[in-house]
Amino acid sequence: MSEIPPQELLDKTHAFPGKFLFKVIGRNEEDFAIRVIAVVREELGHDFDPPIELRHTSGGRHVSVNLEPWVESSEQALAIFGRLREVSGVIMVL
């Protein structure tokens, strides 16, 4: 079975343009969520925050930042994924 390229997979499983959910898990540092949100805003060229939900682990060591911005294309979604992986403190991007 061959692997589907990421852009093709996104195009098959999501309708663009539309809302797209990004889940970013990282260390619960003071400004982690702010850095994650800033990356998404920059990549989208927005001066406002997308819908956001924060969830902290029971021990408080980690936080999940869930963002659901309006994304124009699979290329834009992949660009956001790439930038999110570079944020200091990121453990996982889903």
Side-chain angles (χ1 to χ4, degrees), residues 6-27:
Q7 184 174 347
E8 187 178 326
L9 181 61
L10 284 177
D11 286 332
K12 285 184 177 189
T13 58
H14 293 83
F16 293 101
K19 289 183 178 182
F20 193 90
L21 178 62
F22 296 92
K23 290 180 167 246
V24 185
I25 300 168
R27 293 188 296 269

Side-chain angles (χ1 to χ4, degrees), residues 14-15 35 40 43 51 59 68 71 73-74 82 88 90-91:
H14 293 83
R35 293 192 311 263
V40 173
E43 194 61 41
E68 196 170 15
V71 176
S73 66
S74 57
S88 174
V90 166
I91 295 170

Side-chain angles (χ1 to χ4, degrees), residues 1-2 4-5 9-10 13 15 18 26 38 50 54 67 76 83 88-89 92:
M1 180 190 269
S2 64
I4 299 174
L9 181 61
L10 284 177
T13 58
L54 299 177
L67 306 103
Q76 191 175 48
R83 296 271 315 272
S88 174
M92 187 180 310

